[in-house]
Every structure is written in C-alpha cells, then in structure tokens.
C-alpha cells in the first residue's frame, strides 16, 4: 500500500500559487486546516497497510510543511522500525520547502532512508514562495540546498512555474543544476483559476525551447542528470507509452490520508463524495468501487490523438484540478503536454543523430548494445 500521509495542513510559507490555500471549494474541515496528525493516527495509518496483507508500505510525508511535525515523524519511524523486524518492508519520501532542514534531521533522514525532495523554484523563488510576512526565501534556502545535497546528492528539486515569472524558467533550472542538483522536475501552476493566457504560454514555449538546448548541452558535456519533463517523454516514446499506458489508478495505486485519519483517493479529491474510509475502520469497499466506476481513463477528445500514449490525459487528479471534471483535459494541459513532447523530441533527435553514448545508455539502458549493432 502506498500512501501520501499529510502530517499537517499548516505551513510556514504563504506561496502565491498554493492550491490548498486558494481552494475556495474545499471547506475548513475537509482540508483540516490548522490541524496536525497525532502519533496514534499516524501509527494507525501504518497498521492499516500491514492489515491489508501487503508485504510493503510506501509512505510520502506531505503537508503543509511536514517538518513542522518532526516529533510525529520521529515516533512513526521508530514504530515502522519495529514492524520491519517482522519482515514488512518500508520506503519513505518527504517533500519539504526546506526552511526547517538542519544537520540533525538530515542525519536522521539518511539513517532511516528517507528520500528528501525540495520544493524550490530557482530564480523564481522570491516571486511566489514567500514567508507569511511576504518576504522572499531565496537567500535563506541557499545554505539549506548545500546541506541537503551534502547528505543526499541525488535529491530532487521540484519546480513550480507560475505564468507571472515564466520568463525565468530556463535560468532557474540552470541555477539548480549549477547549485548541485542532478535531478529537476518541473510542473506548471495548474488549476481552473490559473491565469495562463496566450502571451504567458508563448513565454513558456520559448523557455522550453531553451530547456531543450540545456538538455542537449548537459548531455554532450557528459553530465549525469535528469530533467524529468524531457526524460519521461523520451522514455515514453522509446517504450511505446508503456509507462503511462496503465492510465490513472485513482484510489488504487496510492491513497491520501489526512491529519484526521480520513482516507481519500488523492489530494485533489478531499471532498465528501470521494471519502473512502479512515485509518481506524479501513477502506470502504463500496466507496472504492464507486471511485473505480466514475473514473474515466480517456477523455473523448483524446481518442484519436497520435500523442495519447505519451500524455497525462488520463490523470483524474490533474483533470479535476484544471477543469473540475475527472474526464476532461484542459486546453492548457493539452497544449503543455504537446509542448513538452515537441521540445523533448527535438533534443532527443539531436542526441540520437550524434550517436551520443551518454544519451543512448541513459534512455535505452540494457538495449543500448542492440542499438550499437
């Protein structure tokens, strides 16, 4: 069982694009604002996974800012350590804004094999990722990045690009790579209220063209790196879309557990309609069956699209966030998927034609020797 475990909905930042803070359709109670998970509820979430009969549990610690709840986190890790002695396997991830990272926690994370991902927008950081009193966080986080990469050099930088500062995207990615990150993932600001228009999307397109050039340059230089927005699309081409072919498995692949112990299929579905149970009583089968029934893996508009096997059109969570409808992809999302694929293919074609060994081994892996022949 894989779970996104919300330790708290509180946060020490006030990011301008945070979907949790501007989601007017969600009630205070539904999002548990101001609430923090108890040690007992966190342990019950783990117990639920064990009782399901699975031999492994994957936990992503999330929020809010999960490091506001270090006491709960430390207690749960100790609890999982005891359960692991019975043969049950665990994997752990944590997504943080980085402000509370310190030597003690990073040592703890490494000792307990917690993979830490940092939400950081590079040179766009001070445009959107602000403190409660509207101050920037770029300077504060610079030494935190050094600390994180000292302990976990393969950590991922999670970049969110807002239309208000999209012109800084490529330089922001350069900054993060130069800072020492080997892995960068980019997500545009999604949501129905997000103000992407023709002008801002044109800027985003120009920035992705520059990212394509950066991808080629870093590969030709022999750098070990991952730029997820390109690597995923290239790999989908090579595998014929097998990575995305299974479509969205809403409520099956992973569940979302809120601080009050209630279970939902995903963070975009914290509503009464999608309530699936709680960590004490378990998942309600009828609720899971209902979610399976309403899930629409293929929007009608996508049926005849030649890029379907490389697109996230079937992500129910993303569709709901952008259009309010599980089975409807937004025009922006469609355009963005096409943009990613086009720029990724441009970079891949250059590197493939050059016969670049670094690129071929990275993308084709064990099949690289066959390509050489």
């Amino acid at each position: 069982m894989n779970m996104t475990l919300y330790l708290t909905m509180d946060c020490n930042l006030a990011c301008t694009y945070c979907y949790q803070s501007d989601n007017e359709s969600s009630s205070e109670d539904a999002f548990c604002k101001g609430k923090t998970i108890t040690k007992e509820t966190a342990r019950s979430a783990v117990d639920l996974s064990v009782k399901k009969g699975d031999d492994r549990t994957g936990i992503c610690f999330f929020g809010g800012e999960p490091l506001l709840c270090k006491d709960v986190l430390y207690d749960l890790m100790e609890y999982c350590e005891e359960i692991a002695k019975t043969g049950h396997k665990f994997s752990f991830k944590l997504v943080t804004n980085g402000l509370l990272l310190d030597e003690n926690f990073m040592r703890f994370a490494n000792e307990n094999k917690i993979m830490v991902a940092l939400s950081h927008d590079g040179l766009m950081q001070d445009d959107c990722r602000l403190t409660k009193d509207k101050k920037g966080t770029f300077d504060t986080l610079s030494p935190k990045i050094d600390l994180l990469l000292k302990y976990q050099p393969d950590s991922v930088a999670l970049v969110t690009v807002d239309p208000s500062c999209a012109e800084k995207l490529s330089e922001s990615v350069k900054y993060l790579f130069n800072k020492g990150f080997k892995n960068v993932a980019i997500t545009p600001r999604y949501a129905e209220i997000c103000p992407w228009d023709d002008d801002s999307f044109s800027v985003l397109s120009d920035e992705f063209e520059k990212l394509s050039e950066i991808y080629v340059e870093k590969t030709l230089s022999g750098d070990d790196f991952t730029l997820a927005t390109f690597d995923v699309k290239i790999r989908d081409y090579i595998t014929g879309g097998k990575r995305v072919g299974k479509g969205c498995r809403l409520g099956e692949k992973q569940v979302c557990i809120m601080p009050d112990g209630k279970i939902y299929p995903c963070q975009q579905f914290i509503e009464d309609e999608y309530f699936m149970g709680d960590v004490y009583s378990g998942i309600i089968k009828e609720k899971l069956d209902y979610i399976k029934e309403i899930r629409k893996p293929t929007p009608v508009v996508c049926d005849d699209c030649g890029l379907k096997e490389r697109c996230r059109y079937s992500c129910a969570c993303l569709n709901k966030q952008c259009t309010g409808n599980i089975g409807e992809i937004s025009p922006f999302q469609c355009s963005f998927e096409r943009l990613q694929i086009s720029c990724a293919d441009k970079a891949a074609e250059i590197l493939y034609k050059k016969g670049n060994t670094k690129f071929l081994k990275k993308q084709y892996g064990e099949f690289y020797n066959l390509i050489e022949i």
Side-chain angles (χ1 to χ4, degrees):
M1 180 178 181
N2 294 316
M3 65 181 77
T4 299
L5 188 60
Y6 278 76
L7 298 186
T8 182
M9 296 309 297
D10 284 338
C11 190
N12 49 1
L13 287 183
C15 300
T16 59
Y17 51 60
C18 180
Y19 68 87
Q20 291 172 7
S21 63
D22 64 14
N23 190 330
E24 297 178 357
S25 65
S26 298
S27 69
E28 288 276 324
D29 288 339
F31 260 113
C32 305
K33 292 187 189 305
K35 295 182 180 178
T36 296
I37 199 169
T38 65
K39 294 177 181 179
E40 293 73 23
T41 299
R43 289 187 173 204
S44 294
V46 172
D47 290 340
L48 176 63
S49 177
V50 176
K51 289 175 183 175
K52 279 180 88 279
D54 299 339
D55 63 354
R56 63 179 62 244
T57 298
I59 302 176
C60 177
F61 298 110
F62 207 69
E65 173 48 50
L67 293 186
L68 289 169
C69 306
K70 288 181 181 178
D71 58 335
V72 176
L73 178 59
Y74 293 156
D75 178 81
L76 188 62
M77 294 304 299
E78 185 176 327
Y79 188 60
C80 291
E81 185 178 0
E82 288 301 312
I83 295 176
K85 293 177 182 177
T86 67
H88 193 87
K89 297 179 175 60
F90 289 93
S91 61
F92 304 102
K93 298 178 183 178
L94 182 142
V95 179
T96 177
N97 62 37
L99 290 182
L100 297 177
L101 288 177
D102 55 32
E103 290 274 357
N104 288 337
F105 176 75
M106 287 311 306
R107 282 195 291 267
F108 174 83
N110 276 17
E111 289 168 2
N112 290 274
K113 297 181 179 179
I114 302 174
M115 296 174 56
V116 180
L118 178 67
S119 294
H120 194 290
D121 298 342
L123 301 181
M124 303 178 289
Q125 183 77 4
D126 284 351
D127 291 280
C128 300
R129 300 188 63 79
L130 309 175
T131 62
K132 300 287 187 181
D133 55 359
K134 307 302 181 184
K135 293 181 179 179
T137 54
F138 180 86
D139 291 338
T140 302
L141 282 167
S142 183
K144 301 288 187 178
I145 292 175
D146 297 336
L147 175 65
L148 172 61
L149 296 178
K150 168 186 170 184
Y151 282 90
Q152 295 191 8
D154 292 326
S155 180
V156 181
L158 304 173
V159 176
T160 298
V161 56
D162 187 88
S164 65
C165 50
E167 72 278 0
K168 301 179 184 178
L169 175 59
S170 60
E171 289 301 317
S172 294
V173 171
K174 273 187 181 181
Y175 165 79
L176 291 167
F177 279 135
N178 291 337
K179 191 68 175 170
F181 279 103
K182 298 177 183 177
N183 305 294
V184 176
I186 302 167
T187 302
R189 177 184 175 183
Y190 287 114
E192 292 178 85
I193 62 171
C194 185
W196 288 100
D197 56 23
D198 290 344
D199 288 340
S200 57
F201 190 81
S202 176
V203 172
L204 184 66
S205 299
D206 291 342
E207 289 301 297
F208 262 77
E209 292 288 345
K210 295 174 185 176
L211 287 176
S212 183
E213 296 172 3
I214 291 172
Y215 188 94
V216 171
E217 290 169 4
K218 286 185 68 63
T219 303
L220 292 176
S221 296
D223 294 346
D224 291 316
F225 75 100
T226 298
L227 185 56
T229 189
F230 283 75
D231 286 308
V232 166
K233 298 305 183 186
I234 294 169
R235 183 57 58 90
D236 283 342
Y237 173 80
I238 293 170
T239 63
K242 290 182 180 178
R243 185 194 64 84
V244 297
K246 294 180 180 178
C248 176
R249 291 161 56 191
L250 184 64
E252 292 182 278
K253 183 178 180 181
Q254 183 150 334
V255 296
C256 172
I257 299 177
M258 301 304 289
D260 58 2
K262 290 182 179 179
I263 303 173
Y264 298 90
C266 178
Q267 61 202 44
Q268 301 300 333
F269 291 80
I270 314 300
E271 301 172 12
D272 290 341
E273 180 182 357
Y274 307 105
F275 170 72
M276 297 173 61
D278 60 49
V279 297
Y280 304 104
S281 303
I283 294 175
I284 303 169
K285 182 180 182 301
E286 292 77 13
K287 290 286 190 175
L288 180 57
D289 290 342
Y290 168 72
I291 291 169
K292 289 180 182 179
E293 183 179 342
I294 65 172
R295 186 175 66 220
K296 298 177 182 178
T298 307
V300 175
V301 70
C302 302
D303 282 339
D304 298 323
C305 179
L307 300 177
K308 186 171 67 175
E309 298 306 322
R310 302 173 67 191
C311 176
R312 293 182 67 194
Y313 66 90
S314 65
C315 179
C317 310
L318 194 54
N319 288 349
K320 187 173 187 302
Q321 185 181 4
C322 294
T323 66
N325 188 328
I326 294 174
E328 180 183 350
I329 187 171
S330 73
F332 168 75
Q333 185 188 345
C334 179
S335 296
F336 181 64
E337 289 290 322
R338 292 176 180 276
L339 174 62
Q340 291 180 92
I341 292 169
S342 173
C343 291
D345 287 355
K346 182 178 296 186
E349 182 178 12
I350 292 171
L351 294 166
Y352 188 89
K353 286 183 175 179
K354 287 181 176 292
N356 183 264
T357 301
K358 193 78 176 180
F359 171 76
L360 295 174
K361 285 185 176 180
K362 176 182 182 180
Q363 298 298 343
Y364 289 88
E366 60 188 87
F367 299 106
Y368 170 65
N369 289 334
L370 296 178
I371 296 173
E372 280 191 310
I373 295 172

